[in-house]
Amino acid sequence: NAGVTQTPKFQVLKTGQSMTLQCAQDMNHNSMYWYRQDPGMGLRLIYYSASEGTTDKGEVPNGYNVSRLNKREFSLRLESAAPSQTSVYFCASTFRTGGDEQYFGPGTRLTVT
Amino acid sequence: AQSVTQLGSHVSVSEGALVLLRCNYSSSVPPYLFWYVQYPNQGLQLLLKYTTGATLVKGINGFEAEFKKSETSFHLTKPSAHMSDAAEYFCAVTLGGSARQLTFGSGTQLTVLP
C-alpha cells in the first residue's frame, strides 16, 4: 500500500495564479483532511470530508476550495493564490472520525511570490 | 472549543537523558489525545494515543504519555534519548465520539546532543 500520496511535492506560483493540490489514499478510509503547516503554528485544518460526498470547512478555509472526487481522492484548489498561502500542505485520512489515527501524506511545499 | 498548549517550542537533551515534552489541553468534554512526530521533510506519524481506559499509554520508539485529567495534561516522556529522536513533536486533541476536528499544538522541536 502506498498510504496517502500527494502531488506535487513542490510548487512555486505567482500571485493570482491558480492550482490544484491532489491527494489520494489507498486504505479505504472514509474521512480525509487538508491541513496547512506554518512555523510556530502547528497544523491548522483547512477543509475536511467526513465521508464521500460531504465536505466541511475547518479553521482556515478562506481562499481555498475542495472536491471529494471519490472515496480515494480529495483535492484542494487555490483559485487566486496569495503570498499568505505560502505554506506546507498536508493531506490526511482516517477510517473513522474521532479517536482513529489520521495518516498523513508527505506534504506539498508551496511558495507564492 | 478545544485547544492545545505545548510548553517549550525548543527542547534540548543529551543523548541518554530523560525526554519530557509537555502538553496541556482544554476541552469541555473528555478528549481523545494524540502525540505525533515529524521528521524533517516528512509527514506526521502517530507515536501514541489515548482514547479511553488506562491513562498511561505506551507508543512506538520507547515513548509513553500519561493522561492526567485533574491537570488537563498529556506529557510525553522517554527514559533515554537517542540521536534518532531528534524531530518535531506535536500534541493533538479531538473531542470523543463523532468529533471531526483534530486540533494541534504548535509543536516542540527536540534536539538531542551527543
Side-chain angles (χ1 to χ4, degrees):
Chain A
N1 286 350
V4 179
T5 57
Q6 292 182 236
T7 56
K9 285 188 167 55
F10 300 94
Q11 184 71 49
V12 179
L13 291 178
K14 294 187 189 307
T15 297
Q17 287 185 318
S18 62
M19 77 162 296
T20 299
L21 282 65
Q22 307 286 354
C23 174
Q25 52 89 10
D26 62 1
M27 296 174 282
N28 199 35
H29 284 170
N30 295 306
S31 302
M32 298 185 73
Y33 307 79
W34 276 106
Y35 295 90
R36 60 178 288 172
Q37 182 179 27
D38 302 292
M41 302 187 74
L43 277 75
R44 293 180 292 167
L45 184 65
I46 304 171
Y47 271 93
Y48 63 96
S49 170
S51 60
E52 187 179 355
T54 69
T55 60
D56 287 289
K57 295 178 180 179
E59 182 185 353
V60 289
N62 290 345
Y64 305 95
N65 286 300
V66 290
S67 295
R68 183 75 181 266
L69 304 170
N70 47 56
K71 192 171 185 179
R72 289 187 62 249
E73 298 172 287
F74 188 38
S75 63
L76 178 72
R77 183 159 178 84
L78 287 69
E79 291 290 353
S80 179
S84 60
Q85 294 178 304
T86 293
S87 187
V88 181
Y89 291 86
F90 288 99
C91 178
S93 71
T94 187
F95 185 65
R96 298 174 303 180
T97 56
D100 282 358
E101 172 185 359
Q102 290 189 17
Y103 290 79
F104 284 79
T108 294
R109 189 173 296 273
L110 175 67
T111 301
V112 183
T113 61
Chain B
Q2 59 208 39
S3 66
V4 179
T5 301
Q6 290 184 240
L7 292 176
S9 58
H10 291 84
V11 171
S12 294
V13 299
S14 297
E15 193 173 18
L18 171 71
V19 176
L20 171 61
L21 305 183
R22 299 177 187 274
C23 173
N24 289 88
Y25 69 90
S26 66
S27 173
S28 56
V29 297
Y32 292 170
L33 296 155
F34 305 79
W35 275 100
Y36 283 85
V37 60
Q38 184 181 31
Y39 298 102
N41 300 314
Q42 293 187 25
L44 278 70
Q45 177 185 359
L46 183 72
L47 273 178
L48 50 79
K49 69 177 182 181
Y50 169 80
T51 53
T52 58
T55 56
L56 182 62
V57 180
K58 295 187 186 299
I60 62 171
N61 301 338
F63 285 93
E64 63 182 36
E66 187 171 9
F67 170 56
K68 292 188 176 181
K69 185 178 177 182
S70 61
E71 299 177 8
T72 61
S73 69
F74 191 56
H75 301 332
L76 182 71
T77 60
K78 181 174 181 179
S80 177
H82 192 272
M83 297 297 287
S84 61
D85 295 326
E88 189 155 23
Y89 293 79
F90 293 93
C91 182
V93 60
T94 188
L95 302 180
S98 62
R100 294 174 174 180
Q101 296 203 23
L102 194 63
T103 299
F104 284 85
S106 55
T108 297
Q109 182 69 47
L110 176 67
T111 300
V112 182
L113 305 170

